[in-house]
Amino acid sequence: VMLDKAIKENQLTLYYQPKMDIQNNNIRGVEALLRWQNKSEGFIPPDKFIPLAEKTGLIHEITKWVLNEAINKISEWQKEGKNISVAINLSSKDIKDRQLIVYTKSLLDYYNVSPEMLEFEITETAILENGETVKEFLDEVKNLGIKISLDDFGTGYNSLKYLEELSIDYLKIDQSFVKKMNRAKSNKIVKATINLAHELGIQTVAEGVETKEMLELLTDMHCDIVQGYYFSKPVPDINKIKFIA
Ligand code: C2E
Ligand code: CA
Ligand code: CA
């Protein structure tokens, strides 16, 4: 496949989307989202090529590339006086990769970046696919000082079990619930999720926040962090993000 050329020929880039503190509209960090600019086919979205990369095993190389790029970016921003943490998305296959944590640690040392500036986003599906090894993996990540987000919360299976067993810093409420918040039922689900997370000492991130109305509802529900097109789409250069005062 052409995908193996993507890394070698410099066709991958990271876009960044801000995560905003709902209290003061300050940026809390960014999520790094992978983009593949292919010469013949143009722009290919991650939903299209990540599954392929998982099948071929190329995902390990891709995740390493993302890690290197993201940690390098944190250190560049630090030199400009910006303290912005970066969250990267891990694939289900990455959780099986014992070398990944060692590699991450070596990058953090190399770029002189503190582990709290890095965050791993892990989906419920990825947790389900890895069984008992997940806890070990996440404990190691936690011990290193890297933050952990449970991504797409509510779409998987056994969501509540994970909350009880795993040490998670952030819970990301899936867009599908946030989008339907004007409907009474979804509204209650989002509200109850936020309350439950808070009871467990976990902060909440609402994904897919597109309107002022959504933001206001989430503020009333005491959600901690919001992410979505209302603030900014993912962009290649965070200096271009216009923040709402
Ligand atoms: P995700 O982790 O749930 O990322 C959020 C997706 O929602 C992103 O799509 C983002 O652009 C989009 N989004 C953000 N705000 C809004 C909004 O207000 N409205 C709508 N409709 N969408 C919004 P994207 O960038 O196409 O990424 C899709 C998925 O691909 C991600 O879902 C993630 O699972 C995966 N992915 C992206 N980058 C990577 C990566 O570096 N590694 C791995 N393993 N997976 C990645
Ligand atoms: Ca994510
Ligand atoms: Ca998500």
Side-chain angles (χ1 to χ4, degrees):
V1 264
M2 294 179 300
L3 187 55
D4 53 6
K5 284 198 188 151
I7 299 178
K8 273 183 249 141
E9 298 186 359
N10 254 331
Q11 295 174 350
L12 298 178
T13 33
L14 288 183
Y15 275 43
Y16 300 93
Q17 187 180 38
K19 297 183 180 182
M20 310 297 289
D21 192 312
I22 208 165
Q23 297 282 338
N24 51 25
N25 277 341
N26 279 337
I27 185 166
R28 283 280 293 260
V30 292
E31 177 175 3
L33 293 154
L34 193 57
R35 302 290 179 255
W36 179 17
Q37 232 125 11
N38 180 271
K39 281 206 186 69
S40 49
E41 290 181 47
F43 173 91
I44 305 168
D47 288 335
K48 285 254 168 68
F49 67 86
I50 297 282
L52 184 66
E54 287 176 336
K55 241 178 252 158
T56 59
L58 212 61
I59 189 70
H60 297 291
E61 283 311 305
I62 291 180
T63 303
K64 280 171 146 180
W65 183 88
V66 169
L67 267 170
N68 185 80
E69 189 74 14
I71 297 172
N72 183 17
K73 205 71 180 181
I74 299 172
S75 81
E76 273 180 29
W77 287 334
Q78 270 172 359
K79 285 176 198 139
E80 297 168 16
K82 299 187 192 93
N83 234 6
I84 301 170
S85 62
V86 176
I88 73 155
N89 291 283
L90 290 192
S91 136
S92 165
K93 298 277 185 301
D94 292 321
I95 298 175
K96 291 189 180 72
D97 184 357
R98 310 308 296 175
Q99 282 304 306
L100 189 74
I101 294 174
V102 180
Y103 183 69
T104 305
K105 180 151 175 22
S106 72
L107 286 175
L108 290 169
D109 291 343
Y110 178 79
Y111 288 109
N112 200 13
V113 164
S114 153
E116 304 82 67
M117 299 302 289
L118 185 66
E119 188 179 314
F120 285 164
E121 296 198 359
I122 293 161
T123 64
E124 291 179 346
T125 318
I127 292 175
L128 181 73
E129 284 171 6
N130 281 279
E132 293 301 310
T133 55
V134 175
K135 192 167 159 38
E136 259 171 67
F137 179 87
L138 291 184
D139 283 346
E140 267 187 70
V141 171
K142 183 92 180 173
N143 285 339
L144 249 181
I146 296 166
K147 302 287 180 205
I148 301 162
S149 273
L150 185 52
D151 205 352
D152 303 345
F153 183 80
T155 60
Y157 205 66
N158 256 342
S159 310
L160 296 179
K161 176 170 145 53
Y162 306 138
L163 279 190
E164 190 191 23
E165 289 176 2
L166 307 172
S167 42
I168 285 151
D169 301 288
Y170 303 99
L171 184 158
K172 299 189 80 175
I173 304 167
D174 192 67
Q175 315 196 359
S176 58
F177 299 106
V178 176
K179 287 231 161 71
K180 291 183 293 190
M181 267 194 319
N182 52 341
R183 293 194 217 148
K185 240 189 202 155
S186 292
N187 192 316
K188 281 181 185 147
I189 290 173
V190 172
K191 199 169 170 178
T193 304
I194 292 169
N195 290 339
L196 173 65
H198 287 169
E199 289 286 337
L200 296 166
I202 300 170
Q203 294 203 33
T204 51
V205 184
E207 297 192 281
V209 177
E210 294 182 352
T211 66
K212 195 162 194 271
E213 290 68 40
M214 288 162 130
L215 180 64
E216 280 166 358
L217 280 171
L218 290 160
T219 307
D220 291 343
M221 295 176 190
H222 305 287
C223 185
D224 303 284
I225 298 165
V226 275
Q227 185 182 352
Y229 295 169
Y230 178 69
F231 293 98
S232 171
K233 290 196 170 184
V235 290
D237 176 3
I238 58 153
N239 292 312
K240 300 228 167 73
I241 298 171
K242 273 188 267 154
F243 293 110
I244 295 147

